Amino acid sequence: MAEFTLPKNSVLTEGKTFKAPADTKNIRRFEVYRWNPDSGENPRVDIYELDMDDCGPMVLDAILKIKNDVDSSLTFRRSCREGVCGSCAMNVNGKNTLACTKAIDAYPDTIRIFPLPHMQVVKDLVPDMTHFYAQYASIKPWIETQTPAPADTERLQSREDRAKLDGLYECVLCACCSTSCPSYWWNSERYLGPAVLLQAYRWLVDSRDENTGARLDELEDPFKLYRCHTIMNCTDTCPKGLNPAKAIAETKKLLVQRKLG
């Protein structure tokens, strides 16, 4: 039987506990992953007890309250608070989500907050997205054309062609889907992952793009595309309700159709 041992500096240790004031009536408990690369210490889980009568309704509100009122050293990303920037993606009670759109009341008990899984951690709840963004850039996420641009108008498309982009353009590149995918965990250096492949399909079906053949050539690879085994974690976890697994399947279908002529 194979045995695996984690590096000593990756083992979680018991952290600090920040109690709510004694007269607090409506308390919720939050357990938050903490790691500072400059300290030389192992990561830990700190416990925060918050007064829900003085806190907003979303998980991000609780994190902001911790940052502002309890422990200013907590580090995380956030921006829009409307679910459109993808900055506050993190793992909440074992499932990837956007902290700004996830209600505290969706969880009945203790809320455990960790960074996105299987990515290098910069600090606390901040994952290193460098490789993810490089993969996104590799699919050339812009319109590529062969014909000259129209002289006096935009490149237009029909309502029907525009409708083909629904369920694709809404992706905010939060990486919730990619970091929930076991195939991406084990092959992220070569497999593009659900988020990037969904974006790749978005340009494949855009009627204004004229480089479909070259895009398919780039994707026809045993690892870039075909490491997807339709596990469906990506679709299950997407906080925007998108279906990356379907986009990947449609891309595979385009490659088959091209081969069959």
Side-chain angles (χ1 to χ4, degrees), residues 120-178:
Q120 295 292 322
V121 175
V122 178
K123 185 179 180 184
D124 292 343
L125 300 175
V126 178
D128 186 349
M129 304 284 280
T130 305
H131 180 61
F132 177 79
Y133 289 140
Q135 289 181 313
Y136 177 56
S138 75
I139 64 162
K140 300 180 180 179
W142 52 79
I143 290 176
E144 294 195 315
T145 60
Q146 310 295 332
T147 59
D152 55 357
T153 185
E154 301 173 2
R155 293 184 185 271
L156 302 177
Q157 59 183 168
S158 68
R159 292 178 182 270
E160 292 75 21
D161 284 337
R162 166 59 186 80
K164 294 176 182 177
L165 305 182
D166 290 341
L168 303 172
Y169 78 88
E170 301 95 328
C171 173
V172 295
L173 293 171
C174 63
C176 282
C177 61
S178 291

Side-chain angles (χ1 to χ4, degrees), residues 3 28 65-66 68 76-77 84 114 122 130 144 148 185 198 205 222 224 228 259:
E3 293 186 7
R28 288 298 300 269
K65 183 170 179 60
I66 293 170
N68 295 335
F76 56 95
R77 289 193 183 106
V84 295
F114 280 69
V122 178
T130 305
E144 294 195 315
W185 296 347
L198 179 140
V205 296
K224 284 184 179 180
C228 172
K259 190 165 290 187

Side-chain angles (χ1 to χ4, degrees), residues 167-168 177-178 181 183-184 191-202 204 216 219 223-235 243-256:
L168 303 172
C177 61
S178 291
C181 172
S183 292
Y184 192 72
Y191 174 49
L192 292 178
V196 173
L197 288 173
L198 179 140
Q199 290 285 341
Y201 182 66
R202 175 255 180 276
L204 284 170
L216 287 173
L219 293 172
F223 275 87
K224 284 184 179 180
L225 173 67
Y226 289 102
R227 287 300 97 181
C228 172
H229 299 301
T230 324
I231 299 169
M232 302 295 289
N233 280 8
C234 55
T235 301
N243 192 344
K246 180 181 179 182
I248 295 170
E250 292 293 339
T251 302
K252 293 176 180 177
K253 188 189 297 183
L254 288 175
L255 284 166
V256 171

Side-chain angles (χ1 to χ4, degrees), residues 23-69:
D23 58 346
T24 306
K25 305 294 185 186
N26 186 11
I27 296 177
R28 288 298 300 269
R29 175 185 167 112
F30 294 82
E31 298 180 357
V32 182
Y33 177 95
R34 304 298 308 277
W35 181 66
N36 183 350
D38 298 326
S39 70
E41 298 176 357
N42 276 31
R44 66 181 193 271
V45 175
D46 285 353
I47 298 170
Y48 302 90
E49 292 182 354
L50 300 185
D51 180 1
M52 288 295 99
D53 293 332
D54 188 33
C55 181
M58 299 299 180
V59 172
L60 182 60
D61 290 318
I63 297 171
L64 286 167
K65 183 170 179 60
I66 293 170
K67 174 78 170 179
N68 295 335
D69 299 344

Side-chain angles (χ1 to χ4, degrees), residues 82-120:
E82 298 291 340
V84 295
C85 74
S87 299
C88 65
M90 49 192 76
N91 186 278
V92 182
N93 279 20
K95 188 171 184 178
N96 296 344
T97 190
L98 295 176
C100 67
T101 61
K102 202 65 179 181
I104 294 170
D105 287 345
Y107 305 100
D109 203 352
T110 298
I111 295 179
R112 292 174 58 84
I113 304 172
F114 280 69
L116 291 176
H118 288 267
M119 297 185 96
Q120 295 292 322

